Amino acid sequence: MTTDTDETQPRHFLDVDDLSEEELFAVLDKAEEYKRAVENGEDHADLSGQTLGMLFQKASTRTRVSFETGMTQLGGHAIFLGEDDIQLGRGEPLKDTSRALSRYVDAVMARVFKHENVEVLAEYSSVPIVNGLTDDAHPCQTLADLQTIREHEDGLEDVSAAWIGDGNNVAQSFALGCALTGVDLTIATPEGYEVDEAVLERARDLGGDPTTTTDPIEAATDADVIYTDVWISMGQEDERDVRMNDFEGFQVSADLLEHAPGASVMHCLPAHRGEEITDDVVEGEQSIVFDQAENRLHAQKALLGWLLE
Ligand code: CP
Ligand code: NVA
């Protein structure tokens, strides 16, 4: 725990490019190390006595459980703070919530709607803020995704990935992660659902060169990795009818995989089978979605270690 009068400012993780290339690879290396430690039953209580606050404005299975379990394995503790269980839900300003939490906990992971809200948390926090998903970004997911690709492709060099579907929060952070690590990325979205131009520009500044297209087959052909996510993200439920229509042709199905017979199929989960991906693909031999889910645990522990040790 630090106080808001400390001179040293904490590092925050609001999106993937808050890490340098070197730092990102160090986190991925540490994630591998933690994975081995769990598999071998080795003690690794690196955050003994430390506490993570976990603020949620949206639902979660993987993020909540992987952060909480991760803190337990690291010898620390995590506190679930649902918006409606704390005074935030009754109108306490976020900046006050942030300053109060900073006086108790060692880091805060937050899942919120507006990306500006994690920026406000960071501005007023004297402890690290970790983005556990906003409408614009999901950088913790990207850490696990890169760890998973690295495992399945035996490294990140000469890997070609195809994003098929909505240019959403998961896609945007993934684009930055690919740029930082040298993964060649093609993004296929329907018109009107592209990754933000500002994010593509950031990816280019990091040395990436993402290709964009409206043709899912063009993106998928001979890719090493095919990645998709829901067409209707949390908070977009009212757009369901329009989106279901607009995303026609973007389903990751056995037909699409004929163009990429060697590809690993990724999905951050939860999946809406029959919409962006078919049941047989989720359950099929090319699917690595549960390795991705597992790696949330290892990658986030590595991130927390980097932020807190
Ligand atoms: N992928 C992911 O963030 O899952 P949850 O919404 O279950 O946390
Ligand atoms: N794009 C999805 C990801 C869920 C983990 C959403 O924001 O709902």
Side-chain angles (χ1 to χ4, degrees):
M1 178 176 40
T2 57
T3 73
D4 52 13
T5 54
D6 281 358
E7 282 178 11
T8 49
Q9 290 301 306
R11 290 285 300 265
H12 302 295
F13 185 65
L14 305 190
D15 212 335
V16 178
D17 52 352
D18 283 331
L19 299 176
S20 67
E21 178 186 338
E22 194 184 3
E23 289 168 334
L24 175 54
F25 275 103
V27 167
L28 294 177
D29 289 345
K30 189 72 184 175
E32 259 181 60
E33 215 179 280
Y34 277 140
K35 189 167 186 168
R36 297 288 91 78
V38 171
E39 285 169 359
N40 298 331
E42 290 160 12
D43 183 53
H44 52 284
D46 295 340
L47 296 183
S48 173
Q50 303 220 42
T51 301
L52 175 72
M54 306 192 300
L55 180 58
F56 281 95
Q57 286 186 327
K58 295 179 177 176
S60 169
T61 299
R62 281 144 286 269
T63 304
R64 177 178 175 177
V65 178
S66 56
F67 268 106
E68 185 160 341
T69 306
M71 282 304 287
T72 303
Q73 292 179 356
L74 290 168
H77 180 67
I79 306 175
F80 175 74
L81 303 164
E83 180 181 35
D84 292 330
D85 301 322
I86 61 173
Q87 299 289 8
L88 186 65
R90 295 179 60 252
E92 182 169 21
L94 202 55
K95 61 184 182 179
D96 292 358
T97 305
S98 186
R99 281 178 287 190
L101 290 176
S102 290
R103 299 298 182 105
Y104 308 123
V105 302
D106 299 284
V108 174
M109 184 278 293
R111 168 168 286 196
V112 297
F113 285 93
K114 290 188 167 72
H115 191 78
E116 297 89 88
N117 283 345
V118 284
E119 293 171 344
V120 170
L121 283 169
E123 185 182 348
Y124 287 91
S125 178
S126 56
V127 300
I129 300 294
V130 174
N131 180 354
L133 181 146
T134 66
D135 290 346
D136 296 346
H138 196 4
C140 292
Q141 181 67 53
T142 302
L143 297 180
D145 298 341
L146 293 171
Q147 183 183 357
T148 310
I149 295 173
R150 215 180 180 198
E151 287 169 356
H152 282 270
E153 298 297 322
D154 206 17
L156 292 169
E157 272 171 36
D158 301 321
V159 174
S160 64
W163 178 273
I164 313 278
D166 192 8
N168 63 13
N169 42 11
V170 176
Q172 299 206 134
S173 290
F174 187 63
L176 297 174
C178 287
L180 262 178
T181 56
V183 172
D184 183 51
L185 176 64
T186 301
I187 305 167
T189 65
E191 261 175 49
Y193 295 93
E194 296 88 356
V195 164
D196 276 357
E197 185 50 41
V199 173
L200 293 175
E201 199 52 51
R202 272 158 71 196
R204 289 184 204 109
D205 288 347
L206 295 168
D209 185 20
T211 304
T212 56
T213 174
T214 53
D215 180 355
I217 294 177
E218 180 193 327
T221 300
D222 296 331
D224 298 310
V225 168
I226 292 182
Y227 195 168
T228 191
D229 183 21
V230 291
W231 294 338
I232 300 143
S233 284
M234 290 181 278
Q236 297 173 336
E237 290 78 7
D238 291 351
E239 299 170 33
R240 181 170 186 85
D241 291 347
V242 176
R243 283 176 168 265
M244 287 300 288
N245 192 49
D246 291 349
F247 281 95
E248 208 186 313
F250 281 79
Q251 186 180 65
V252 175
S253 63
D255 284 349
L256 187 73
L257 293 189
E258 281 183 15
H259 301 277
S264 297
V265 175
M266 299 178 67
H267 193 305
C268 61
L269 303 178
H272 289 196
R273 290 165 163 84
E275 295 182 13
E276 77 280 358
I277 195 164
T278 55
D279 180 64
D280 59 309
V281 169
V282 176
E283 303 295 341
E285 281 185 359
Q286 287 173 255
S287 170
I288 56 171
V289 302
F290 292 105
D291 291 340
Q292 266 181 280
E294 176 184 335
N295 285 337
R296 296 292 304 277
L297 172 70
H298 311 300
Q300 288 158 195
K301 283 165 68 182
L303 176 75
L304 290 170
W306 174 76
L307 287 169
L308 291 173
E309 270 188 296

